[in-house]
């Protein structure tokens, strides 16, 4: 029994090191914070939506609808002298969900035995997959208004008995005159879920490809460092008359070339993907100025390359702490989690709609920038993309400098920091 316990103690000691334990604790804290954030977002989505409503009919039936919508929403005050664009901007600036207009002739249409429709303009503020959720709440409010109007018509006298039963039961048609206001454009006869479906492909496919590249390239670097230590080839390399700074530059240059090849392959596939997406999409985003040009693809490629370079430099630092191939496998976990966090957040939410603290967290992770670049480029938000490229360049440079410094330490060979024996003579000059 004692030998088994000794082996168990040895394996746990080798696996449970600060280099593997501390990143896991940090990631756990990070996910706990994100959990609280997601809970807050869910509460916000279930709040009563703010709605702008205009009654252009001023009839006896439109008043019922106006009262019903007002009582089931947070009404936004609108000036009667505003035109449609001014009303939309007012609702948007007030964090409203939709602008509902009761058109002239609404009451007369229903009294003549026909369903009447409302002019609905959904306000779409971001590109996240959850953006279409508030619009469903507005539809529920309109449905409730239709029910209230139906109850009033059935109980109230003076309504023509010639009105068909179908109209009495459902006097408001929700399937017509539905529009979406997004990025300064009124998309006629288009609901937010259609726009979100077209954009969510970018919010899902692009981040998952970036995440896969980062994890794959990072795993190769960390594993190679562990293998070199296990096979003693790293020690052989260090005994050669080559400066250690040159070794670092050589390793990173080779890794950067591999990253560049990956980025180029990715960009070719991305261009083909975007062309097929635009041709088969239900919403023609190009019609509303949301498309990518040559400069956009170039910026996206630079952002992706710098993200890969940052990942490789970070993984090289982590690989220095690996004693062998087995411990190197555990060190891949922090990079994996750092790539997964922005993937899930950006897939669901638009970066510009997130709280400042979460924005800062995502901005600090270099892998997040190519993930959110494509939607920002489509919406001409170049400042965020350029700032991200600048940060990625700075992050990669800092990681390279740290790697050069660590390559001159004993930790490169031992995988841990320890004091040198007094009788040990280390000659690092010329290395």
């Amino acid at each position: 029994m004692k030998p088994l316990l000794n082996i168990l103690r040895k394996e746990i000691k080798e696996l449970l090191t600060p280099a593997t334990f501390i990143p896991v604790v940090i990631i756990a804290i990070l996910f706990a914070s994100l959990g609280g954030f997601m809970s807050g977002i869910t509460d916000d989505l279930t709040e009563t939506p703010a709605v702008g409503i205009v009654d252009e009919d001023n009839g006896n039936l439109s008043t019922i609808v106006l009262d019903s919508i007002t009582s089931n929403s947070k009404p936004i005050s609108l000036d009667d002298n505003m035109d449609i664009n001014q009303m939309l901007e007012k609702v948007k600036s007030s964090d409203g969900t939709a602008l509902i207009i009761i058109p002239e002739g609404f009451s007369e249409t229903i009294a003549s035995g026909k369903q009447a429709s409302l002019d609905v303009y959904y306000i779409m503020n971001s590109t996240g997959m959850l953006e279409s959720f508030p619009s469903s709440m507005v539809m529920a409010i309109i449905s409730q208004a239709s029910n209230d109007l139906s109850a009033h018509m059935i109980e109230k006298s003076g309504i023509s008995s010639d009105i068909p039963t179908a109209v009495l039961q459902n006097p408001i048609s929700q399937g017509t005159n539905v529009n979406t206001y997004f990025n300064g454009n009124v998309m006629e006869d288009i609901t937010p879920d259609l726009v979100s479906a077209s954009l969510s492909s970018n919010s899902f496919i692009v981040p998952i490809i970036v995440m896969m590249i980062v994890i794959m390239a990072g795993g190769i670097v960390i594993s190679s460092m562990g293998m070199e230590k296990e096979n003693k080839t790293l020690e052989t390399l260090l005994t050669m008359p080559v400066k250690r700074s040159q070794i670092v530059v050589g390793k990173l240059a080779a890794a950067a070339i591999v990253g560049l090849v990956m980025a180029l392959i990715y960009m070719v596939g991305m261009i083909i993907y975007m062309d097929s997406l635009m041709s088969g999409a239900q919403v023609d985003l190009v019609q509303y100025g949301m498309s990518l040009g040559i400069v956009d693809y170039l910026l996206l490629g630079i952002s992706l390359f710098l993200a890969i370079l940052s990942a490789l430099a970070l993984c090289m630092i982590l690989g220095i702490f690996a004693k062998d191939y087995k411990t190197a496998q555990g060190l891949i976990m922090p990079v994996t989690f750092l790539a997964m966090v922005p993937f899930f957040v950006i897939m669901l939410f638009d970066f510009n709609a997130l709280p400042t603290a979460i924005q800062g967290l995502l901005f600090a992770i270099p892998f997040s920038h190519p993930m959110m670049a494509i939607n920002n480029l489509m919406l001409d938000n170049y400042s965020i993309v350029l700032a991200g490229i600048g940060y990625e360049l700075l992050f990669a440079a800092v990681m390279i400098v740290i790697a050069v410094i660590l390559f001159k330490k004993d930790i490169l060979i031992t995988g841990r920091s320890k004091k040198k024996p007094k009788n040990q003579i280390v000659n690092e000059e010329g290395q």
Side-chain angles (χ1 to χ4, degrees):
M1 190 67 179
K2 187 176 180 180
L4 177 60
L5 293 177
N6 290 335
I7 294 175
L8 181 64
R9 188 183 303 109
K10 168 185 171 294
E11 293 296 325
I12 292 177
K13 186 177 180 181
E14 290 181 355
L15 294 175
L16 195 60
T17 62
T20 56
F21 181 73
I22 294 177
V24 173
V25 173
I26 295 175
I27 295 299
I29 296 174
L30 180 61
F31 269 97
S33 302
L34 287 175
F37 162 70
M38 293 292 293
S39 177
I41 291 293
T42 303
D43 293 339
D44 292 340
L45 291 175
T46 54
E47 286 185 357
T48 303
V51 173
I53 181 168
V54 177
D55 186 3
E56 295 181 348
D57 181 63
N58 295 317
N60 60 329
L61 299 182
S62 65
T63 303
I64 305 299
V65 175
L66 178 64
D67 292 341
S68 177
I69 295 177
T70 301
S71 62
N72 290 291
S73 66
K74 297 177 181 177
I76 299 174
S77 177
L78 298 173
D79 192 340
D80 294 336
N81 297 324
M82 291 181 174
D83 58 25
I84 184 65
N85 291 324
Q86 291 174 329
M87 287 189 288
L88 288 171
E89 283 299 322
K90 172 66 175 179
V91 174
K92 181 179 179 180
S93 62
S94 302
D95 294 328
T97 302
L99 169 65
I100 302 176
I101 299 177
I102 305 176
E104 185 177 356
F106 176 86
S107 300
E108 182 179 350
T109 300
I110 296 178
S112 64
K114 299 178 182 177
Q115 279 187 323
S117 60
L118 303 176
D119 296 332
V120 182
Y121 295 83
Y122 292 109
I123 308 299
M124 190 170 178
N125 295 306
S126 61
T127 60
M129 292 179 64
L130 298 181
E131 181 62 28
S132 60
F133 185 80
S135 64
S136 63
M137 298 182 67
V138 174
M139 294 178 63
I141 291 175
I142 295 176
S143 178
Q144 181 60 47
S146 181
N147 293 336
D148 293 343
L149 181 57
S150 174
H152 171 82
M153 292 172 59
I154 294 174
E155 296 177 4
K156 189 73 173 178
S157 60
I159 303 297
S160 173
S161 59
D162 295 334
I163 298 178
T165 303
V167 176
L168 284 174
Q169 294 177 342
N170 189 19
I172 299 177
S173 172
Q174 298 188 34
T176 57
N177 300 337
V178 175
N179 313 282
T180 298
Y181 184 68
F182 177 58
N183 198 34
N185 298 308
V186 176
M187 302 179 175
E188 298 181 354
D189 300 324
I190 296 175
T191 57
D193 58 322
L194 292 178
V195 180
S196 180
S198 298
L199 293 173
S200 64
S201 298
N202 306 329
S203 302
F204 179 77
I205 299 297
V206 176
I208 198 171
I209 293 177
V210 174
M211 181 181 68
M212 291 174 61
I213 292 178
V214 168
I215 294 175
M216 180 178 63
I220 291 174
V221 171
I222 295 180
S223 298
S224 66
M225 291 288 293
M227 288 292 294
E228 284 184 329
K229 290 185 179 183
E230 187 173 317
N231 297 330
K232 307 300 181 181
T233 56
L234 182 59
E235 295 179 8
T236 303
L237 179 63
L238 295 176
T239 60
M240 299 178 65
V242 181
K243 292 183 178 180
R244 296 195 179 187
S245 59
Q246 293 178 341
I247 295 176
V248 175
V249 172
K251 285 179 172 293
L252 285 178
I257 292 175
V258 174
L260 180 60
V261 172
M262 290 181 177
L264 291 176
I265 295 174
Y266 164 81
M267 289 310 303
V268 172
M270 189 63 213
I271 292 174
I272 299 175
Y273 164 75
M274 288 299 298
D275 289 341
S276 61
L277 177 67
M278 292 301 179
S279 61
Q282 293 178 310
V283 180
D284 185 8
L285 298 177
V286 178
Q287 178 183 350
Y288 302 100
M290 287 179 280
S291 60
L292 297 180
I294 299 299
V295 176
D296 299 322
Y297 284 116
L298 178 62
L299 291 174
L300 184 59
I302 293 174
S303 179
L304 176 61
F305 171 70
L306 290 176
I308 295 174
L309 183 61
S310 298
L312 295 175
L314 177 60
C315 289
M316 179 168 288
I317 293 174
L318 293 174
I320 291 174
F321 293 90
K323 293 187 296 182
D324 49 33
Y325 182 78
K326 182 170 64 173
T327 57
Q329 297 303 303
L331 292 172
I332 300 175
M333 185 181 300
V335 180
T336 301
F337 278 116
L338 285 177
M340 290 175 61
V341 168
F343 165 70
F344 285 111
V345 175
I346 293 173
M347 181 179 65
L348 297 175
F349 306 101
D350 184 6
F351 176 81
N352 302 292
L354 293 172
T356 304
I358 303 299
Q359 286 183 340
L361 175 64
L362 287 182
F363 198 91
I365 302 175
F367 320 138
S368 64
H369 294 283
M371 294 184 183
M372 61 186 181
I374 185 167
N375 280 341
N376 283 318
L377 290 172
M378 292 184 69
L379 301 178
D380 296 332
N381 295 330
Y382 289 99
S383 58
I384 297 178
V385 178
L386 294 175
I389 290 175
Y391 172 77
E392 289 177 287
L393 184 61
L394 177 62
F395 184 91
V398 172
M399 292 297 105
I400 291 173
V401 171
I402 295 176
V404 172
I405 294 174
L406 291 177
F407 253 71
K408 297 180 180 180
K409 305 293 184 179
D410 288 343
I411 193 174
L412 177 64
I413 301 299
T414 63
R416 65 181 66 179
S417 179
K418 65 180 181 180
K419 295 181 179 179
K420 301 176 183 178
K422 293 181 178 180
N423 60 348
Q424 180 181 0
I425 300 176
V426 179
N427 182 12
E428 295 183 352
E429 295 181 2
Q431 295 185 0

